[in-house]
Amino acid sequence: MAQLLMNDGYKIVDKPTQASVLIVNTCGFIGPAKEESINTLRELSENKRNDQLLIAAGCLTQRYGAEVARQVPGIDGILGTRRWMDIVQVVRELRKSPHPEPLYHLPDASTVGSEETGVVRASVAGTSAYLKIADGCRRPCAFCAIPLIKGTVVSRPVETILEEANKLQDEGVRELILIAQDTTDYGHDLGMKDGLAALLERLTDEVPNIDWIRIMYAYPGYVNDRLIDIMATRKAILPYLDIPLQHAHPKALYRMRRPSNINWVHETLAKMRSKIENLAIRTTFIVGYPGETEEEFQTLMDFIDEIRFDRVGAFKFSFEPGTSSEALGDPVPAEVKEERYKRLMERQQAISLQINQGYVGKNLDVLIEGYGDGISVGRSYRDAPEIDGMVLVEGNAPIGEIVPVKITGAMAYDLTGIPAQAPITL
Ligand code: SF4
C-alpha cells in the first residue's frame, strides 16, 4: 500500500499529526492482536483533524469491517486484506466528496497473489527483507481464523519472486526471509511438485549474492527429503527452520485438526539434525487448547525436554468464533492457561540458556543491525528478526555487514561477543 501511494505522489511521514492519510493495517488473528488494532484506531480517531482521512485496512476489517466501524467512530474507509492493491482508488474516492458513513471496500475476491500491480511484496528492515511467496492457507487447523480471513492459498509465480529477490539484492539486501502462512505448501496451487525446494534451487542459482535465506512457517508433515537436501547443500540457505508444532500430545493435535503423528516429528527432526550441520530449530505451541488436560500438557513439557528446541514461542489459546474449534468452547480457565504458559516458558528458558552456553568460545557470523554506546547489536543465523535473540558485540561494527564474532557470554535468549577479527573500524 505504501508503494502504491508513493507512486501516486504521497510521501511517508514520521508522525500521525503530519499525515493527510492515516492507515492502520489491522491484525485479526487472535484476541490480543484484535484489541491492539482497535486501540490504535481509537487513538488515531480521537486525535484526527477534519482534513485527515483514517482508513482501517488488513485482516480484522476483512472479517469484521462493520463491527470495527461501529467500535471506532470516525473511520473514513474500510479496506480488507484481500484487496490492499485498491488503496489509491479508496483514497481518491474518499477525497472526492464528503462521506458521512465509512466507505466499505471489501470485494469478495478469492485472495491476492497474482494481481499485484507491480509492487515489490517485501517489507525491508535494514538489510533484511521479508519476501512473501504465497498468501492464504488451505490447512484445516481448528483454532485458526486465517483461512476465513485470507481465503485459500495462492502462490506467487516463481518468476515474480525471482524478480523481486533480484531487485532486493541490487538494493543491498543481505538476508531474505521467506514467508507465507505455510511455506511448505508453496507452488501446490501452481501444479508444482516440491515447490519450496524448487523455488530455493532457483533462488540460490539466480540470485547468488543474497548471503542468507531463512525459511519461516514450515507445516509439519511437509518437510521432505528434497527440502532437507537443499537446505543441507546450499550455503545461502540458513540452517534454521521454523516449524510451528502447536502441541505434542496426539489427542490434543487431533482436536486441533493438525498432523498428530508425533513419530514423524521425531524422525524428521532427527534426520534434519543429522544432515544439516548446526541446525537451529524454532517452534511455537498453544497452551490451554480446549480439552487440554494436565497429562496432555505434561507430554508437551516432556517433549520440549527431549527435543531441546533452540527457540520456542507459546500462545495462550484464543477463542475465535467461526473456526471449527468453536464448538469446543474455551473451557480451560484463564489462570490455568497463564500458569501453563509460564511453566512452559520457564522450562524452555533453562533449555535455551544451556544451548546458548554451548556457543561460548565459538565463532558466529553476525549481521549487524545497529550500534550505540560502544555496543553493536546483530543477529546470527539462529535468530530471526523480532522473535528470536540477539548478539551484542563489543565496539561499533559496520551496520548491514556480516561479521565474525567470538561468543563470550550467554543469556537465555541473547549472546554477547567480541569481534573475531579485530579491530573493526568505521
Ligand atoms: S497452517 Fe497456519 S495459517 Fe494455515 S490454518 Fe493452520 S495455523 Fe492457520
Side-chain angles (χ1 to χ4, degrees), residues 246-256 262 285-304 328 332 340 343-344:
Q246 311 303 4
H247 213 283
H249 195 290
K251 282 189 182 159
L253 287 164
Y254 181 78
R255 289 196 305 282
M256 289 178 173
I262 282 296
F285 295 115
I286 295 174
V287 296
Y289 188 75
E292 185 189 56
T293 59
E294 181 55 33
E295 184 224 322
E296 288 180 0
F297 178 70
Q298 202 47 58
T299 303
L300 177 56
M301 296 285 277
D302 295 344
F303 181 70
I304 67 165
L328 302 178
V332 179
R340 286 181 186 167
R343 252 198 289 165
L344 184 124

Side-chain angles (χ1 to χ4, degrees), residues 195-226:
L196 179 59
L199 175 68
L200 287 166
E201 267 172 15
R202 297 273 312 263
L203 265 176
T204 41
D205 284 343
E206 295 174 41
V207 198
N209 294 330
I210 294 286
D211 302 82
W212 289 359
I213 298 176
R214 190 183 294 280
I215 306 166
M216 304 300 290
Y217 318 132
Y219 188 78
Y222 292 82
V223 174
N224 60 20
D225 287 351
R226 187 167 165 202

Side-chain angles (χ1 to χ4, degrees), residues 116-272:
E116 299 179 345
T117 63
V119 300
V120 175
R121 289 205 67 194
S123 143
V124 183
T127 49
S128 297
Y130 290 93
L131 180 56
K132 188 143 244 190
I133 61 171
D135 206 19
C137 189
R138 66 187 178 101
R139 304 290 181 212
C141 311
F143 51 81
C144 183
I146 288 179
L148 299 170
I149 297 167
K150 293 258 182 184
T152 191
V153 63
V154 176
S155 300
R156 303 180 70 217
V158 177
E159 300 303 330
T160 311
I161 295 170
L162 291 174
E163 207 178 295
E164 282 186 8
N166 263 307
K167 262 191 216 161
L168 294 164
Q169 171 184 265
D170 294 347
E171 285 165 17
V173 162
R174 314 284 308 257
E175 177 187 30
L176 280 185
I177 303 157
L178 304 188
I179 52 167
Q181 270 70 36
D182 168 11
T183 48
T184 57
D185 202 27
Y186 176 75
H188 177 270
D189 55 313
L190 302 175
M192 293 169 75
K193 187 170 177 330
D194 300 337
L196 179 59
L199 175 68
L200 287 166
E201 267 172 15
R202 297 273 312 263
L203 265 176
T204 41
D205 284 343
E206 295 174 41
V207 198
N209 294 330
I210 294 286
D211 302 82
W212 289 359
I213 298 176
R214 190 183 294 280
I215 306 166
M216 304 300 290
Y217 318 132
Y219 188 78
Y222 292 82
V223 174
N224 60 20
D225 287 351
R226 187 167 165 202
L227 179 60
I228 296 173
D229 282 346
I230 297 278
M231 290 181 71
T233 52
R234 305 264 168 151
K235 192 171 160 280
I237 303 171
L238 294 177
Y240 174 99
L241 186 74
D242 171 38
I243 181 163
L245 294 168
Q246 311 303 4
H247 213 283
H249 195 290
K251 282 189 182 159
L253 287 164
Y254 181 78
R255 289 196 305 282
M256 289 178 173
R257 301 200 187 166
R258 298 270 303 179
S260 56
N261 184 349
I262 282 296
N263 287 340
W264 179 93
V265 176
H266 282 284
E267 281 162 21
T268 305
L269 296 187
K271 193 196 291 176
M272 290 190 85

Side-chain angles (χ1 to χ4, degrees), residues 377-392:
V377 180
R379 291 179 292 107
S380 75
Y381 77 93
R382 303 174 63 236
D383 310 308
E386 311 278 338
I387 49 174
D388 293 329
M390 291 184 297
V391 185
L392 308 172

